[in-house]
Coordinates of all heavy atoms in Angstrom, one line a residue:
S12 N 10.2 16.8 29.4 CA 9.9 17.0 30.8 C 9.1 15.9 31.5 O 9.0 15.8 32.7 CB 9.1 18.3 31.0 OG 7.8 18.2 30.3
S13 N 8.4 15.0 30.6 CA 7.6 13.9 31.2 C 8.4 12.6 31.1 O 9.3 12.5 30.3 CB 6.3 13.8 30.4 OG 5.6 15.0 30.4
A14 N 8.1 11.7 32.1 CA 8.7 10.4 32.0 C 8.1 9.6 30.9 O 6.9 9.3 31.0 CB 8.5 9.7 33.4
P15 N 8.8 9.3 29.9 CA 8.3 8.6 28.7 C 8.1 7.1 28.9 O 8.8 6.5 29.7 CB 9.3 8.8 27.6 CG 10.6 8.9 28.4 CD 10.3 9.6 29.7
G16 N 7.1 6.6 28.2 CA 7.0 5.2 28.2 C 8.0 4.6 27.2 O 8.7 5.4 26.5
E17 N 8.1 3.3 27.1 CA 9.1 2.7 26.2 C 8.4 1.8 25.2 O 7.5 1.0 25.6 CB 10.1 1.9 27.0 CG 11.0 2.8 27.9 CD 12.0 3.6 27.0 OE1 12.3 3.2 25.9 OE2 12.5 4.6 27.5
C18 N 8.7 1.9 24.0 CA 8.1 1.0 22.9 C 9.1 1.0 21.7 O 9.7 2.1 21.4 CB 6.8 1.6 22.5 SG 5.9 0.6 21.3
S19 N 9.3 -0.1 21.1 CA 10.3 -0.2 20.0 C 9.8 0.7 18.8 O 10.6 1.4 18.2 CB 10.5 -1.6 19.6 OG 11.2 -2.3 20.6
V20 N 8.5 0.6 18.5 CA 8.0 1.3 17.3 C 6.6 1.9 17.7 O 5.7 1.2 18.2 CB 7.8 0.3 16.1 CG1 7.2 1.1 14.9 CG2 9.1 -0.3 15.7
V21 N 6.4 3.1 17.4 CA 5.1 3.8 17.5 C 4.6 4.1 16.1 O 5.4 4.7 15.3 CB 5.2 5.1 18.3 CG1 3.9 5.9 18.2 CG2 5.4 4.8 19.8
I22 N 3.4 3.6 15.8 CA 2.8 3.9 14.5 C 1.7 4.9 14.7 O 0.9 4.7 15.6 CB 2.2 2.6 14.0 CG1 3.3 1.5 13.8 CG2 1.5 2.8 12.6 CD1 2.7 0.1 13.6
V23 N 1.7 5.9 13.9 CA 0.7 7.0 14.0 C -0.4 6.7 12.9 O -0.1 6.9 11.7 CB 1.3 8.4 13.9 CG1 0.1 9.4 14.1 CG2 2.4 8.6 14.9
G24 N -1.6 6.3 13.3 CA -2.6 6.1 12.3 C -3.0 4.6 12.3 O -2.2 3.7 12.0
A25 N -4.3 4.3 12.6 CA -4.8 2.9 12.6 C -5.7 2.7 11.4 O -6.7 2.0 11.5 CB -5.6 2.6 13.9
G26 N -5.3 3.3 10.3 CA -6.0 2.9 9.0 C -5.4 1.6 8.5 O -4.6 0.9 9.2
P27 N -5.7 1.3 7.2 CA -5.2 0.0 6.7 C -3.7 -0.1 6.7 O -3.2 -1.2 7.0 CB -5.7 0.0 5.2 CG -7.0 0.9 5.3 CD -6.7 1.9 6.3
T28 N -3.0 1.0 6.4 CA -1.5 0.9 6.4 C -0.9 0.7 7.8 O -0.1 -0.2 8.0 CB -0.9 2.2 5.7 OG1 -1.5 2.4 4.4 CG2 0.6 2.1 5.7
G29 N -1.4 1.5 8.7 CA -0.9 1.4 10.1 C -1.2 0.0 10.7 O -0.4 -0.6 11.4
L30 N -2.4 -0.5 10.5 CA -2.8 -1.8 11.0 C -1.9 -2.9 10.4 O -1.5 -3.8 11.1 CB -4.3 -2.0 10.8 CG -5.3 -1.2 11.6 CD1 -6.7 -1.4 11.0 CD2 -5.2 -1.6 13.0
M31 N -1.7 -2.8 9.1 CA -0.9 -3.9 8.4 C 0.5 -3.8 8.9 O 1.1 -4.9 9.1 CB -1.0 -3.7 6.9 CG -0.5 -4.9 6.2 SD -1.6 -6.3 6.4 CE -0.5 -7.7 6.0
L32 N 1.0 -2.6 9.1 CA 2.4 -2.5 9.6 C 2.5 -3.1 11.1 O 3.4 -3.8 11.4 CB 2.9 -1.1 9.6 CG 4.3 -0.8 10.1 CD1 5.3 -1.7 9.3 CD2 4.6 0.6 10.1
G33 N 1.5 -2.8 11.9 CA 1.4 -3.4 13.2 C 1.4 -4.9 13.2 O 2.1 -5.5 14.0
A34 N 0.7 -5.5 12.2 CA 0.6 -6.9 12.1 C 2.0 -7.5 11.7 O 2.4 -8.5 12.3 CB -0.4 -7.3 11.1
E35 N 2.6 -6.9 10.8 CA 3.9 -7.4 10.3 C 4.9 -7.3 11.5 O 5.7 -8.3 11.6 CB 4.4 -6.5 9.1 CG 3.6 -6.7 7.9 CD 3.8 -8.1 7.3 OE1 4.9 -8.4 6.8 OE2 2.8 -8.9 7.3
L36 N 4.9 -6.3 12.2 CA 5.9 -6.2 13.3 C 5.5 -7.2 14.4 O 6.4 -7.8 15.0 CB 5.8 -4.7 13.9 CG 6.4 -3.7 13.0 CD1 6.1 -2.3 13.6 CD2 7.9 -3.8 12.7
A37 N 4.3 -7.4 14.7 CA 3.9 -8.3 15.8 C 4.3 -9.7 15.4 O 4.8 -10.5 16.2 CB 2.4 -8.2 16.0
I38 N 4.0 -10.1 14.1 CA 4.4 -11.4 13.7 C 5.9 -11.7 13.8 O 6.4 -12.8 14.1 CB 4.0 -11.6 12.2 CG1 2.4 -11.7 12.1 CG2 4.6 -12.9 11.6 CD1 1.9 -11.6 10.7
A39 N 6.7 -10.6 13.6 CA 8.1 -10.7 13.7 C 8.6 -10.6 15.1 O 9.8 -10.8 15.4 CB 8.8 -9.6 12.9
G40 N 7.7 -10.4 16.1 CA 8.1 -10.3 17.5 C 8.6 -9.0 18.0 O 9.3 -8.9 19.0
V41 N 8.2 -7.9 17.3 CA 8.6 -6.5 17.7 C 7.4 -5.9 18.5 O 6.3 -6.0 18.1 CB 8.9 -5.7 16.5 CG1 9.1 -4.2 16.9 CG2 10.2 -6.2 15.8
D42 N 7.7 -5.2 19.6 CA 6.7 -4.5 20.4 C 6.4 -3.2 19.7 O 7.2 -2.4 19.6 CB 7.1 -4.4 21.8 CG 8.3 -3.5 22.0 OD1 9.3 -3.8 21.3 OD2 8.3 -2.6 22.8
A43 N 5.2 -3.1 19.2 CA 4.7 -1.8 18.6 C 3.4 -1.4 19.1 O 2.6 -2.2 19.6 CB 4.6 -2.1 17.1
S44 N 3.1 -0.1 19.1 CA 1.8 0.4 19.5 C 1.4 1.4 18.4 O 2.2 2.0 17.7 CB 1.9 1.0 20.9 OG 2.7 2.1 20.9

Side-chain angles (χ1 to χ4, degrees):
S12 64
S13 300
E17 292 291 338
C18 183
S19 293
V20 179
V21 168
I22 301 165
V23 183
T28 303
L30 289 170
M31 193 69 203
L32 180 58
E35 292 292 291
L36 294 171
I38 292 170
V41 172
D42 62 310
S44 63

